[in-house]
Amino acid sequence: MMTNTNQRLTQGQFSFLPDLTDPQITAQIEFALKNNWAVGIEYTDDPHPRNTYWEMFGNPMFDLKDAVGILAEINSCRKTFPQHYVRVTAFDSTRGVESLKMSYLVNRPTREPGFGLARTEVEGRNIRYRISSYATDKPEGERYGQ
Amino acid sequence: MNDIGDVRTAKIRGRYDAGVMEYKKMGYWQPDYVPLDTDVIALFRITPQDGVDAEECAAAVAGESSTATWTVVWTDRLTACELYRAKAYRVDKVPNTGPGTSTPQQVFAWIAYDLDLFEPGSIANLTASIIGNVFGFKAVKALRLEDMRIPVAYLKTFQGPATGIVVERERLDKFGRPLLGATTKPKLGLSGRNYGRVVYEALKGGLDFVKDDENINSQPFMHWRDRFLYCMEAVNKAAAATGEVKGHYLNVTAGTMEEMYERAEFAKSLGAAIIMIDLVIGYTAIQSMAKWARKNDVILHLHRAGNSTYSRQKNHGMNFRVICKWMRMAGVDHIHAGTVVGKLEGDPAMIAGFYDTLRETSTKTNLEHGLFFDQDWASLNKVMPVASGGIHAGQMHQLLTYLGEDVVLQFGGGTIGHPMGIQAGATANRVALEVMVLARNEGRDIWNEGPQILKAAAQWCSPLKQAIETWGDIQFNYESTDTGDFLPTATATASA
């Protein structure tokens, strides 16, 4: 079990808030669309903080400008992967950015076992640290149950 | 006497006849000059000595900051001296100075420098001219460098920020909200073991970064290696506890470059994402550390220690926006650039100018914000401004409105001084931040509704409730000294 404040993974820009409701998610999608950002949906069962490439639930939706349609996509992802982490991203292709402007979780596994910290003592007092998710001891797709 | 004098002045004097000549007659005042796209342009605020006219003062500043000495020298003629002379081409009276005001007459002088006067990629060389001898020059009572236009051709000779805002966010996997930090307190006296405790608690509670203070280097109560080892234990333990990337700015400032490199290498070997340096190490040392940081995939934080000795008073020294420009060229990733609402100097319009200078790909002239030139940044990375000093969760709506989201908000006292402990202090700040970003994105008027938004979140977040009860009314209402010249402005207050 995670022992931090909310006993949950705190990646993403709204992880300290109660889970976002559908109307709240819709409002955030509308904010992204208003800024001309492309909304994307990604999922994973390997929440290591440096796991950059979550699986894409389709390409970023560059041409979909309808918040209701995007929410339907999000719900479809959550239905397909109910025990995965799902994040919604917003991509800004403006010169000088060309990167994400938003990233927030919209789905988590029921149980989040958290991460172990392994210390390898090396020369002197130096320590090499290894962070690993307890869930990733199991193969992909079998980590958080159905 | 008079007769002889008359005879001497009656004779038409050649430009290269020996003797003293007014600077404006030596070619340093050229009102018809049109600056080239490749010129460096500097804007100075000059308080002339009594009896010296504005054009002569401007020409003198141009002369002393480029090729001139106090008397004519024939050896000018061995050079393309007309090219190398800086040219004062415009003087304007500064609004609200001179007769009828409490301030002696000041003028803005616009001076253009040919690109070949400066060594490529060297802030030290640029500054040796622009702020070298000239600030002690007797012909002016006081002198302040207000702004500079750096040509694209010169910018392209600088590395720029080692990492930049965009890549820093990608590396940290943190998007769409300001980053949160805190400076470990008390800033002096903690042992390494106790120091790391503060770092761990604050990161686990929800901050992204904790920071060494500017004067934490390697003192008898805590030597640097001890600090680095304990801080990295704290960082890694907090990362595992939260599943988030965490960092601590390890201050590598030291007495020599060799010692700084040694400390930076050790930080890297421990897996530190970010290190820090102080402005007082000097421009060349900063550029060296920026190159090191780029080469070693480490983010470089700069604490602006010392800047107020020359940037705060309006009549003499230099404006902080020029430091922002030089530091973006020199290559730091973070720089402290004011909070507006906190305990340190900061007029809202001036700070908007600093932040734009650090974060935009180009900025337009904006006199209200103190930006005197259009400036194209030639794809140099963006610098993340850091707001630190006397800010707390109750000001979150003001901070987000004034400073935007590409900023590190550092709540030192506002985290560590929390009545329920450091973790609770960090959580209060993080919740306040996230709830405010959420509301802003939803289109709510956070400037006016901010206090209610925080109060609503405090209903389910007791650390935030306690933070607001402890600090909700704290404000720092002092007049700014470094204000704009073109519109009356006032320091914002926390009660707004």
Side-chain angles (χ1 to χ4, degrees), chain B residues 380-401:
Chain B
L380 256 59
N381 284 341
K382 302 165 182 176
V383 183
M384 184 84 84
V386 177
S388 180
I391 57 176
H392 56 80
Q395 300 162 323
M396 198 59 81
H397 52 299
Q398 298 165 331
L399 291 164
L400 190 59
T401 303

Side-chain angles (χ1 to χ4, degrees), chain B residues 8-9 63 65 69 114-115 169 208 227 244 260 268 322 345 348 356 374 385 415 417 425 433 464 478:
Chain B
R8 280 187 185 162
T9 50
S65 61
T69 185
D114 188 84
L115 185 58
R169 285 191 173 282
D208 304 302
R227 182 171 87 255
E244 250 189 303
M260 284 206 287
K268 182 187 74 169
V322 180
E345 172 73 28
D356 285 350
D374 292 355
T415 298
L433 176 74
L464 179 58
Y478 302 103

Side-chain angles (χ1 to χ4, degrees), chain B residues 97-110:
Chain B
T97 66
T101 72
S102 58
T103 312
Q105 183 67 56
Q106 299 176 350
V107 294
F108 287 130
W110 307 65

Side-chain angles (χ1 to χ4, degrees), chain B residues 144 311-312 314 319 345 347 350 354 480-484:
Chain B
R144 190 180 199 221
S311 70
R312 189 174 185 190
K314 219 172 149 178
N319 193 289
E345 172 73 28
D347 172 80
M350 295 297 99
F354 304 159
S480 290
T481 51
D482 183 22
T483 49

Side-chain angles (χ1 to χ4, degrees), chain B residues 342-489:
Chain B
K343 71 179 178 183
L344 301 176
E345 172 73 28
D347 172 80
M350 295 297 99
I351 286 184
F354 304 159
Y355 274 58
D356 285 350
T357 294
L358 296 167
R359 298 189 299 199
E360 298 298 322
T361 47
S362 72
T363 51
K364 289 283 173 206
T365 302
N366 183 337
L367 296 180
E368 288 168 40
H369 290 181
L371 303 177
F372 288 83
F373 302 102
D374 292 355
Q375 177 70 58
D376 181 341
W377 277 100
S379 302
L380 256 59
N381 284 341
K382 302 165 182 176
V383 183
M384 184 84 84
V386 177
S388 180
I391 57 176
H392 56 80
Q395 300 162 323
M396 198 59 81
H397 52 299
Q398 298 165 331
L399 291 164
L400 190 59
T401 303
Y402 278 126
L403 308 178
E405 71 184 34
D406 280 332
V407 57
V408 186
L409 302 175
Q410 295 198 162
F411 303 90
T415 298
I416 297 158
H418 193 284
M420 292 162 70
I422 300 170
Q423 281 194 39
T427 302
N429 289 319
R430 180 80 175 260
V431 168
L433 176 74
E434 293 192 359
V435 81
M436 205 57 70
V437 171
L438 187 86
R440 180 202 63 176
N441 295 0
E442 286 170 350
R444 292 182 67 182
D445 172 9
I446 60 168
W447 182 260
N448 290 308
E449 296 174 35
Q452 292 94 294
I453 292 167
L454 291 175
K455 208 172 283 175
Q459 296 294 312
W460 53 265
C461 177
S462 57
L464 179 58
K465 185 159 181 274
Q466 289 252 353
I468 293 168
E469 283 169 4
T470 308
W471 296 300
D473 298 327
I474 301 297
Q475 41 187 295
F476 299 91
N477 289 332
Y478 302 103
E479 294 249 343
S480 290
T481 51
D482 183 22
T483 49
D485 294 292
F486 294 93
L487 260 193
T489 50

Side-chain angles (χ1 to χ4, degrees), chain B residues 323-349:
Chain B
I323 295 285
C324 291
K325 289 192 174 175
W326 292 350
M327 290 304 104
R328 188 166 178 180
M329 295 157 74
V332 304
D333 291 315
H334 288 186
I335 184 171
H336 292 243
T339 62
V340 182
V341 296
K343 71 179 178 183
L344 301 176
E345 172 73 28
D347 172 80

Side-chain angles (χ1 to χ4, degrees), chain B residues 193-206:
Chain B
R193 187 174 188 274
N194 294 332
Y195 196 91
R197 164 62 72 184
V198 178
V199 176
Y200 172 61
E201 299 289 327
L203 293 178
K204 186 177 179 188

